[in-house]
Amino acid sequence: MRLTLQALISHGRVARKMGLGPESRINMLRNILTGLVRHERIETTQARADEVRFYAEKLVDYAKKGDTDEKAMKMANFWLTEKDLIPKLFKVLAPRFENQSNGYTRMARLPNRQNLDRAKMAVLEYKGNPFPPLYPVKKENELSLINQLLKGYREERAQQLADKA
Amino acid sequence: KPLPTFQPSHLSLSLSTLTDLIGSAVIRWRGDMFSFVSPCAAPALAVTGPGLLPQPDQEDGLEEQPPGLFDGFLWMAAPKKRRTIEVNRTRRRADSKLLKVKNNIEPCPECGHLKQKHILCGFCYAKVCKETSMIRQQIKAAEGGPLRAPTVETVVLYEGETPSEQDKDKRIVERSRKRPAWFS
């Protein structure tokens, strides 16, 4: 028999509360999403980045339907407050991701903000943006000792197989 | 010489002596008044002395109780005994109050600054931030005003680079420096 009210306990509730209420949360996420579509890489708190990620990917899914689709245009019109980004969404972001089905965004955690609040920060970006990568691409150096030794070993093996045949 | 002690015991009037003095009159004591009733007279006349007449709403006496245990300021929580230094030490040095040791700190393979394993290196990210802000300044100069996002992709070219086959439809942003080693 339940002795306490369900409303007073929040065990297992995964939905985040942000801002002044659900409407304020949507407005805040809409602003962040507009900034993301404009700049393609933004830095916010980790919770906000995590929430916007879902909406960013859903927006690209809607954009893939094409700008003649009524629902897609309504969604883009609602979510992008700066209306010069609607053509960018349909003509730049949708073709960029036409071969992928999910995972259009990348979120990485940053060191905590240096303010008094020490908030957890994250950087959120659309993949394929023109900026320098967050994770440095590891380039194999052909001239390092191990690579030279392995190259020599591969050549010797190739030569032995050629001699046998 | 011992002083003559005053012994008031034989001067006090006991009830028995009072009855002897007044005779056979019956003395009744009811509350705060005396009433003399003589047994000789047939219709007994009870003469009551001046006293407080009974009030119909004299119920304050019944309800007047000393202040309850939960009223007033005298009932408040207070420590009974001084906390000993041993008790204080166990509380102050409890496991939840000690500083936790982090074992997920490692040096960044690129720059050598310390970073946490699941968090980007602060130095490398600051480097990337500076370069992106320079690129964004060039973009702002190219756009020339607010709300003029282009409908084509953007590509960044450094000194001495020409647009390749994939870059022919894109907007070109030029940076007047050598390509950094960490930007492929």
Side-chain angles (χ1 to χ4, degrees):
Chain A
M1 193 190 101
R2 260 203 96 82
L3 297 171
T4 50
L5 291 174
Q6 192 79 38
L8 299 173
I9 297 176
S10 83
H11 288 172
R13 310 259 177 108
V14 293
R16 276 194 195 91
K17 289 185 195 177
M18 281 161 54
L20 309 165
E23 202 182 320
S24 161
R25 172 181 161 270
I26 292 286
N27 289 341
M28 205 193 291
L29 295 179
R30 188 167 44 175
N31 287 338
I32 299 173
L33 184 53
T34 305
L36 176 65
V37 170
R38 175 175 290 286
H39 297 114
E40 299 198 25
R41 180 185 284 175
I42 55 172
E43 193 182 301
T44 56
T45 59
Q46 193 191 341
R48 288 175 196 171
D50 198 40
E51 293 281 306
V52 167
R53 227 180 153 187
F54 169 80
Y55 291 101
E57 305 208 341
K58 274 277 183 287
L59 190 66
V60 171
D61 285 332
Y62 269 106
K64 280 187 182 176
K65 292 184 183 178
D67 55 0
T68 46
D69 191 51
E70 196 50 51
K71 185 82 191 287
M73 189 48 83
K74 273 189 183 171
M75 276 289 176
N77 188 35
F78 173 79
W79 279 99
L80 299 172
T81 54
E82 291 163 9
K83 304 305 172 189
D84 64 309
L85 296 173
I86 300 175
K88 177 179 174 181
L89 175 72
F90 285 105
K91 292 186 182 157
V92 174
L93 293 181
R96 196 197 277 180
F97 298 123
E98 59 189 353
N99 296 327
Q100 299 175 31
S101 62
N102 55 1
Y104 314 121
T105 54
R106 186 184 285 126
M107 185 171 94
R109 261 201 73 178
L110 294 178
N112 290 355
R113 206 195 260 157
Q114 295 305 313
N115 283 0
L116 185 65
D117 62 3
R118 292 282 172 192
K120 293 184 189 178
M121 297 295 280
V123 59
L124 184 64
E125 62 169 12
Y126 273 118
K127 290 182 185 170
N129 61 73
F131 301 120
L134 292 172
Y135 295 101
V137 181
K138 266 192 179 169
K139 272 197 212 147
E140 292 291 321
N141 191 4
E142 262 295 317
L143 302 170
S144 73
L145 180 64
I146 277 199
N147 282 342
Q148 287 288 306
L149 291 171
L150 283 171
K151 189 176 152 194
Y153 174 73
R154 272 186 232 118
E155 282 172 0
E156 273 183 27
R157 277 293 294 266
Q159 197 153 27
Q160 276 171 8
L161 285 171
D163 289 342
K164 266 190 194 170
Chain B
K1 285 181 188 174
L3 287 167
T5 54
F6 180 70
Q7 291 174 13
S9 55
H10 57 269
L11 286 178
S12 64
L13 283 170
S14 61
L15 199 59
S16 52
T17 51
L18 202 63
T19 47
D20 293 338
L21 284 168
I22 296 170
S24 60
V26 176
I27 296 170
R28 286 208 195 94
W29 171 266
R30 182 174 70 107
D32 49 358
M33 51 185 129
F34 277 104
S35 64
F36 292 91
V37 177
S38 62
C40 313
L45 186 66
V47 177
T48 57
L52 287 174
L53 291 171
Q55 310 287 329
D57 53 343
Q58 202 182 30
E59 285 145 20
D60 300 335
L62 293 170
E63 285 179 1
E64 250 177 37
Q65 281 168 9
L69 288 173
F70 298 98
D71 303 336
F73 62 90
L74 291 177
W75 186 80
M76 262 190 195
K80 194 71 179 172
K81 283 286 190 187
R82 178 204 159 115
R83 279 169 161 180
T84 57
I85 187 62
E86 294 90 359
V87 163
N88 282 341
R89 278 198 198 117
T90 45
R91 184 186 67 256
R92 289 169 192 159
R93 298 177 191 183
D95 193 47
S96 60
K97 295 191 186 176
L98 295 178
L99 292 176
K100 310 283 178 301
V101 173
K102 284 191 180 147
N103 54 5
N104 53 359
I105 303 176
E106 55 170 24
C108 167
E110 305 291 310
C111 61
H113 285 80
L114 292 174
K115 70 188 262 304
Q116 282 194 300
K117 285 182 188 162
H118 57 297
I119 294 180
L120 293 185
C121 169
F123 188 80
C124 297
Y125 180 68
K127 224 167 41 178
V128 165
C129 260
K130 272 212 176 83
E131 189 57 33
T132 45
S133 74
M134 301 306 286
I135 294 170
R136 282 188 180 142
Q137 273 178 25
Q138 294 289 105
I139 288 173
K140 191 175 161 186
E143 285 177 3
L147 304 180
R148 281 173 218 197
T151 54
V152 290
E153 293 265 8
T154 307
V155 72
V156 182
L157 293 178
Y158 288 87
E159 251 173 22
E161 290 178 10
T162 52
S164 69
E165 266 304 307
Q166 309 153 343
D167 306 338
K168 51 185 171 113
D169 296 325
K170 300 185 186 175
R171 163 179 72 161
I172 297 183
V173 174
E174 306 220 326
R175 282 276 295 128
S176 55
R177 56 158 285 185
K178 182 173 78 98
R179 181 167 282 264
W182 38 270
F183 190 178
S184 58

